[in-house]
Amino acid sequence: QQRYSSEEINDLHRRASIWFRDEQMIDTALHHALAAGDVDLAAQIIIDHFATWLDRENWPAIERWLNLLPADAFTAHPWLLAARASIAQLRADYSALLPLLEDAEVRLAAMPDAVASQGEVVLRSHLDLLWAVHWLMSNQPNRATAAATRAWQSLPLAHLYLRGTALQMLTVAMQIGGNAPAAIQLVEDELARAPRG
């Protein structure tokens, strides 16, 4: 602090954040991003690592990261709202799910060209998955089936946790809707395609 200006110190924090991010030390990377006052960098680190950490079933870490961010970060990044909605779903806090989904949809709609990018295509699929959960909990299996189908067909194969959850929501909705044989066939087909081990 004696040798460098506040701008230079922030730049050092930013560079440290990127280094720790690249070394997969996410907590430390977030600490430095926020010390630099770079909320967008912190948000992007969470967004970029969200699916991977869900695959590891380490959602408490995601929740901890989200709690580090100021409230206005969520208005700028619909992905953060989807992440928070996922935490609500995992906690079975279904009353919190709908407001978060609606807020994310409004924010995504305000970004007219957003869904052109791969990241936003995944966001759209993730929101469809969360809508499927909502419709299922609201006893609307037809709407749940439609939303889960869109999610399952659009999510990249690498997103194991989200695809598995989408398939689960889809088959449960099909069963509730009176189409259990088709649901069983869908699961059997997917198991046959899944690599062993």
Side-chain angles (χ1 to χ4, degrees), residues 2-108:
Q2 290 176 348
R3 296 175 62 184
Y4 297 103
S5 70
S6 58
E7 278 187 17
E8 290 171 316
I9 291 171
N10 287 343
D11 184 57
L12 288 170
H13 276 301
R14 195 173 293 108
R15 288 164 54 196
S17 176
I18 292 167
W19 187 89
F20 282 111
R21 177 203 65 194
D22 292 347
E23 296 298 315
Q24 301 300 308
M25 299 171 71
I26 306 305
D27 286 287
T28 308
L30 289 172
H31 164 78
H32 283 288
L34 293 170
D38 196 335
V39 174
D40 286 336
L41 176 59
Q44 196 60 53
I45 290 169
I46 296 171
I47 292 164
D48 290 345
H49 292 83
F50 174 71
T52 303
W53 284 68
L54 269 186
D55 286 346
R56 296 176 186 170
E57 297 189 20
N58 195 352
W59 58 268
I62 299 168
E63 185 174 34
R64 185 176 68 248
W65 300 341
L66 293 172
N67 289 336
L68 295 173
L69 299 175
D72 58 0
F74 293 85
T75 62
H77 298 281
W79 251 118
L80 297 176
L81 291 167
R84 185 154 272 168
S86 286
I87 301 300
Q89 180 249 319
L90 288 162
R91 286 190 172 281
D93 184 2
Y94 300 116
S95 62
L97 184 58
L98 182 59
L100 289 165
L101 276 174
E102 290 174 335
D103 197 5
E105 291 287 3
V106 167
R107 305 222 179 269
L108 188 59

